[in-house]
Amino acid sequence: MKNSKAISVKINGKQVEKTIPTHLRLLDFIRNHLKLTGTKEVCGEGECGACSVILAGKIVNSCLIFAVETNGSEISTIEGIAKVDELSEIQQNFIEHHSVQCGFCIPGMVLAGEEIRKENPHSTRDEIKEKLAGNICRCTGYKKIVDAIENN
Amino acid sequence: MEEIGKSYKRIDALEKVLGQTKFLDDLPDENFLHAAPVYSGIPFGQILSIDFSKAKSYPDFVDFISAKDISGENQVGVIIEDQPLFADKIVRFVGDVIGLIVAKSPQNARDIAKLVEIKIEELSPYFTIDESRNATEIFLHDSNLACEHQVIRGDIETGFTDADLIIEETFKTSVAEHYYLEPQGCIAFPKTDKMKLLGSLQCPFYIQKAVSRVLGIPLENVEVEQSPTGGAFGGKEDVPSELCARVAVAAQKLGKPVKMVYSRKEDVQLTSKRHPFQMRYKVGVSKSGKLLAAEILLEENAGAYATLSSVVSYRAAMQAMGPYKIPNVKVRSKSYYTNLPPNGAFRGFGSPQATFGHERIMDILAKKLGIDPVEFRMKNMLEVGDETMTGQKLTSSVGAKETLQNASERINNNIIQNNNNSHYLEGIGIASCHYGNCLGAAGWHLDGAGVNIKIRKNGKISVAFGLVEMGQGAETVVAQMTAQALGVTTEIIEILPTSTIHVPDSGPSVASRNVVMTGNAIRNAAEELLPILKKVSAEILNCDQENIEIKNCFAKNLKSERKITFSEIAGYLHLNGMKTQSNGWWHVPELDYDSETGTGDAYFTYSYATQIVKVRVDRLTGIVKVEKIWAAHDIGKAINPAGLQAQVEGGTAQGIGWALTENFKYEHGKAVTQNLSTYLIPTAQNTAKVETILVEDSEPLGPWGAKGIGEPAIIPTAAAIANAVSNATGIEFNEIPMTPENVLEKIES
Ligand code: FES
Ligand code: FES
C-alpha cells in the first residue's frame, strides 16, 4: 500500500511487526493498533507529557513522533513498567504517598519518575520539579508526586 | 480500629499507576459510529441556511444530525430554558453547536464536519459585561440580564452614617478554563425505546433528565453510567448533558451506538469556564475597626446561555461579605449574557470571585485604619452565636477564628523587610472565607442523596452511591465511611461505578457535597443493617444482643469474648434468606430563607478557611513567585487526612494559576489561548510549598462531624496572593491575573 510501511519494534519486551500508515503518530500506533491505552493524549502538541513513553532508553512525547520513525527500536509504555505482580518502586511510592487523583496524568508521571530516578537516584526536590516541568497535572499540585519520586 | 480519620490509601490508585484504568476513550471500539460537532464560527447571528451536501459525498459520511432530528424538545437549559440543544435559528457564541456529523471514524467525522456550510447573518456581538448591560436593542435573549440575586439586611444608610471610614473599590477577576486532562466524551447505546449513556461526567441525574426530555422518552428509560473521569472541577457538571443529549439524538435516529470525544480544541472553545466578575464594594467601618455597612454590586459574565449562572450568582451573593459579622448589607448580584461560551461551574462556584472582593477590601480597610490585617479580621470574624451577613444564626461548627489563629501563628517568624533597592520584593497576604456546604436554599429541592449497601455472600460489602469519583477521592472516603458505619474494615468494601440504576436521584456531584451527603446516607443505611447484624451475631454466639460488639470485621460476645467473623455473619444472612441490603438516604434539613430579601439560612452549614501566602515579586520582570502557603481549613472532621491534604495542595495550585498565569483570551469570541503554551496552568515548578493545617470543629449534622473541602481548597488562594503582592509592592492589585506584564506595568507606572 502506498503511504504505508512495515515496521518492527519491541514493545514492553515483545516484538511486534505491523504495516502502518506513514503519517501515524507513535501515540495512535500504541493506543489504537497495539491497544495499550495506558498512554494518554491530552494536548497532542508536546506540552503535557501524558503521552510519554520510553523510546530507546529515553523518555519522549509519543504525540510528536511518527510511528515509522521508531522502526527497529525498543519501546516501553506504562504497561511495561511493573514486573508480573510486582510494582516498580516508583509505582509503589505513588500509591503510598497519595500521589494519585484522577489518574489521567499518572502514566506519564510514573514514566517521568522512572527516568528521573534512572538518571540520578538522588535528585533534589528542585531538580525533580525542573524535570517534571513538561508533565502537567491539574489535580494534585505536584507535591505528592515529587514526594513519590524523591528517594528518601 | 477507627476507619475514619485514617489516611487510607486510595482504592483506585493501583489500577491508575498501572495504566489499567479504562477511561472512556480507552474502551475497545465495538464498531461505534463517531460524531463530531458542527458549530458556529460566528459569535452572534441568524442562521440563514445549513448545507451538508458536500459532506454527504464524503465516503465515510453516515449522517448529519441537527434540530430536525430531535423527537422530544430542542431544549437543554439547566435552570433557565434558554438553550437549544442544536441551534436552529440563532447562534450566540463561537462554538454554538448546530449539528453533528456522524461518520465511521472520529478523524473522518471531524474532517467532514468542516465541510458543512452554514450561512449566518451576523449581528453585532456583546463580549463584555459593560457592553451587555448597556445594550439598548437586540438582546441575546428576551433581555441581556440572565438572572439576579440580592441580599438586603439592616439599613445601610444608617450604617454608612455611623461609619468613621468608608472605602469604595472595584475588583475584577478573569475567565478560567478547567483544563481537566481528560476531554469531554460519551457513548450512547440505543436499545429499542431506551437509551444508555456512558461518559466522563459529574452529574448523571442531570444527564438522565436532559436526555429523556430531548428524546421524548420516560426518565426511567434512560440509564446513565459514569466512566472513570479524568478530572472535572465543575467543568463536567452541566456540559456533559449537552454532549450526551446530542449523541443520544444521533444514536436514536441511527439505531447504533455513537461515540463522541471532544478534541482539546473543541473542548476549550465549546465548553464552560469560570465566570469573570466585576465587583464594586463600598464598605463602612468604625474607627475601632468594626464593620458597619456594605453595599456590594457583583456583575458576572454569563456567556451565551444561563446554564448554572443563577446558582453561581446566588452563592456569590450569599457569601459576598465573607465570614464576618456585618449588620447592614445590600448586595446585588447580576449575570449578563454575552456572546462567549457559557460560563458555568468551576471549583468554588462564584466563591473565589466574591472572596477576591471581600478579602481585598478587608486588607485595604485594615491598611487605612492602621490595624494589623489579622487583628482586623479577628475583630469581625464569625463565631458560634453570631449571625452571618444574611442574618443566619450560627449554632455550631464555626472554626473561622481558629483557622485565622492557626495560620497566622505560622507567619510570626516570617518578618519581611524589603530593601528599596533590591531586585525582589517580598510580601505576605491573608485571605479568609466561608463556604456554604451543599446546594443551599436555592437548590434545596435537589439536595438529597442516596446509597445502596449490599452485604455479599463472600463477606464483602458493595456500595453504590449517587455522587461520583472524579479524581478527588470520593470512592475511598465512601469506603471508609461505610466500613466505619458497619464495624468492618475498609479493605472489604467494593465501590460500584455510579449509575442512575442503583440509587435514586442524588442530585449533582458538586458543592463539596459528597462526604456530607453520602456519609449521612451511609449512616442511614447502617441504621437498618446494624440491628440485623447484631441479632444474627447474637443468635450464632448464643448471647444477648446487648453483649454484641461489631468491630474490625468481627462480632464479639463481650461476656465470653467469643468471636465470629463478618464473613460468617454474611454467610448466615444469605443462607437464611435474610435482609442483606439497605438503601440509605439523606436530605439537607429545611432552611428558613427569604428569597425576596436574600436573608436567613442560605446554607445548612459552612466550611471555613484562612490561607496565608508568602510571595516574592521580581521587580525587573514582574514575575510573582508564591513561595509558601499556610492553608488552615475547618472541615469539621478529616475522614482521610492525606486525601484532604491532596485536595488542598491541588486546590491552591489551581488558585495560583488563576491568580498569576491563566490569562484566557478571546478574539471576537474565538479562544486564542487554546493550548498549554498560551494558557499557562501551573507546572511542578510554579506551585508553592503548602502546609495544610486542619481545624476540626465538629458539625453535628455532618457524618462523624465532617464538612466539605473540595472547593474551600481553592477559594481564598487568589485573594491571598493579591494581598501579598499588594503588600510586597505597596501598590493595590485589584485585578487578576497578575501576569508579569500586568505587574510590571503597575510597578512602572
Ligand atoms: S499529548 Fe503528547 S505531550 Fe501532550
Ligand atoms: S491526577 Fe488528575 S491530572 Fe494528575
Side-chain angles (χ1 to χ4, degrees), chain B residues 65-85:
Chain B
I65 306 291
S66 65
K68 64 181 188 327
D69 300 304
I70 296 176
S71 37
E73 267 178 90
N74 186 14
Q75 182 54 246
V76 77
V78 193
I79 297 163
I80 299 171
E81 309 208 327
D82 62 357
Q83 186 175 8
L85 181 71

Side-chain angles (χ1 to χ4, degrees), chain A residues 31 40 101 138 142 144, chain B residues 16 26 178 645 662 682:
Chain A
R31 285 183 53 85
K40 304 292 180 223
Q101 291 195 25
R138 193 54 155 163
Y142 307 97
K144 295 191 182 333
Chain B
K16 286 176 175 174
D26 301 336
H178 305 85
Q645 251 178 26
E662 296 180 23

Side-chain angles (χ1 to χ4, degrees), chain A residues 45-61:
Chain A
E45 298 185 344
E47 303 274 359
C48 75
C51 64
S52 298
V53 298
I54 312 249
L55 169 66
K58 278 253 162 297
I59 192 158
V60 294
N61 290 325

Side-chain angles (χ1 to χ4, degrees), chain A residues 27 40-51 61-64:
Chain A
L27 173 62
K40 304 292 180 223
E41 173 161 10
V42 171
C43 69
E45 298 185 344
E47 303 274 359
C48 75
C51 64
N61 290 325
S62 65
C63 69
L64 294 182

Side-chain angles (χ1 to χ4, degrees), chain B residues 159-160 162-166 283-293 365 369 371 376 379-380:
Chain B
F160 284 126
D162 293 346
D164 297 307
L165 172 71
I166 297 171
V283 180
V285 280
S286 72
K287 264 205 295 287
S288 65
K290 220 174 129 214
L291 290 171
L292 296 177
L365 283 163
L369 286 164
I371 305 180
F376 177 52
K379 232 181 219 243
N380 292 288

Side-chain angles (χ1 to χ4, degrees), chain A residues 99-106 109 136-140 145, chain B residues 181 230-231 233:
Chain A
S99 319
V100 177
Q101 291 195 25
C102 81
F104 215 74
C105 71
I106 295 299
M109 289 288 183
I136 293 292
C137 172
R138 193 54 155 163
C139 298
T140 64
I145 290 176
Chain B
L181 262 54
F233 317 114

Side-chain angles (χ1 to χ4, degrees), chain B residues 136-418:
Chain B
T136 50
E137 51 178 0
I138 310 189
F139 303 116
L140 268 97
H141 299 275
D142 290 342
S143 106
N144 273 357
L145 180 66
C147 48
E148 61 183 320
H149 292 280
Q150 61 176 11
V151 181
I152 296 175
R153 177 160 168 260
D155 173 10
I156 51 166
E157 298 311 324
T158 319
F160 284 126
T161 314
D162 293 346
D164 297 307
L165 172 71
I166 297 171
I167 300 279
E168 272 192 80
E169 206 50 78
T170 304
F171 306 105
K172 272 189 183 171
T173 63
S174 54
V175 72
E177 158 63 26
H178 305 85
Y179 217 102
Y180 31 71
L181 262 54
E182 183 203 21
Q184 305 265 358
C186 65
I187 308 170
F189 301 90
K191 303 184 222 163
T192 47
D193 58 341
K194 296 199 173 80
M195 188 64 66
K196 175 171 177 178
L197 290 127
L198 179 70
S200 176
L201 54 92
Q202 258 178 273
C203 304
F205 300 97
Y206 279 3
I207 294 169
Q208 193 184 27
K209 282 179 220 159
V211 170
S212 138
R213 178 176 195 184
V214 162
L215 298 187
I217 62 174
L219 200 61
E220 57 276 15
N221 288 12
V222 180
E223 179 188 336
V224 182
E225 184 180 319
Q226 186 213 19
S227 53
T229 293
F233 317 114
K236 293 172 184 169
E237 174 170 357
D238 54 334
V239 175
S241 298
E242 293 172 28
L243 264 89
C244 287
R246 291 187 187 119
V247 172
V249 172
Q252 188 188 43
K253 181 177 178 198
L254 299 167
K256 290 197 182 122
V258 179
K259 174 176 171 182
M260 179 161 74
V261 176
Y262 275 174
S263 69
R264 183 56 59 179
K265 280 205 171 102
E266 287 161 351
D267 202 303
V268 170
Q269 181 66 55
L270 272 57
T271 72
S272 70
K273 318 261 174 283
R274 184 186 293 287
H275 289 75
F277 273 40
Q278 80 194 24
M279 306 174 263
R280 177 128 206 103
Y281 274 71
K282 177 182 173 191
V283 180
V285 280
S286 72
K287 264 205 295 287
S288 65
K290 220 174 129 214
L291 290 171
L292 296 177
E295 185 175 12
I296 299 165
L297 173 64
L298 308 174
E299 293 180 305
E300 302 116 25
N301 188 328
Y305 299 103
T307 65
L308 298 158
S309 287
S310 159
V311 256
V312 169
S313 168
Y314 169 82
R315 186 175 279 283
M318 296 305 122
Q319 299 175 177
M321 211 33 228
Y324 306 109
K325 293 172 279 192
I326 180 158
N328 308 299
V329 280
K330 180 172 176 192
V331 182
R332 282 163 304 149
S333 180
K334 299 180 168 201
S335 281
Y336 292 97
Y337 288 121
T338 60
N339 295 104
L340 293 175
N343 289 312
F346 192 156
R347 200 175 197 170
F349 213 72
S351 318
Q353 294 97 319
T355 298
F356 190 83
H358 65 71
E359 289 310 281
R360 281 297 296 130
I361 200 92
M362 287 300 280
D363 250 33
I364 295 170
L365 283 163
K367 200 184 283 179
K368 284 266 157 60
L369 286 164
I371 305 180
D372 175 80
V374 174
E375 195 192 320
F376 177 52
R377 284 180 173 81
M378 201 56 98
K379 232 181 219 243
N380 292 288
M381 206 164 247
L382 295 168
E383 50 190 8
V384 169
D386 288 336
E387 289 184 355
T388 65
M389 55 160 279
T390 67
Q392 174 172 1
K393 184 144 179 156
L394 298 170
T395 54
S396 57
S397 188
V398 186
K401 285 191 166 176
E402 228 178 312
T403 66
L404 180 56
Q405 181 70 35
N406 292 359
S408 59
E409 274 166 10
R410 306 293 206 277
I411 52 167
N412 284 345
N413 44 10
N414 269 284
I415 307 296
I416 297 212
Q417 264 167 349
N418 283 318

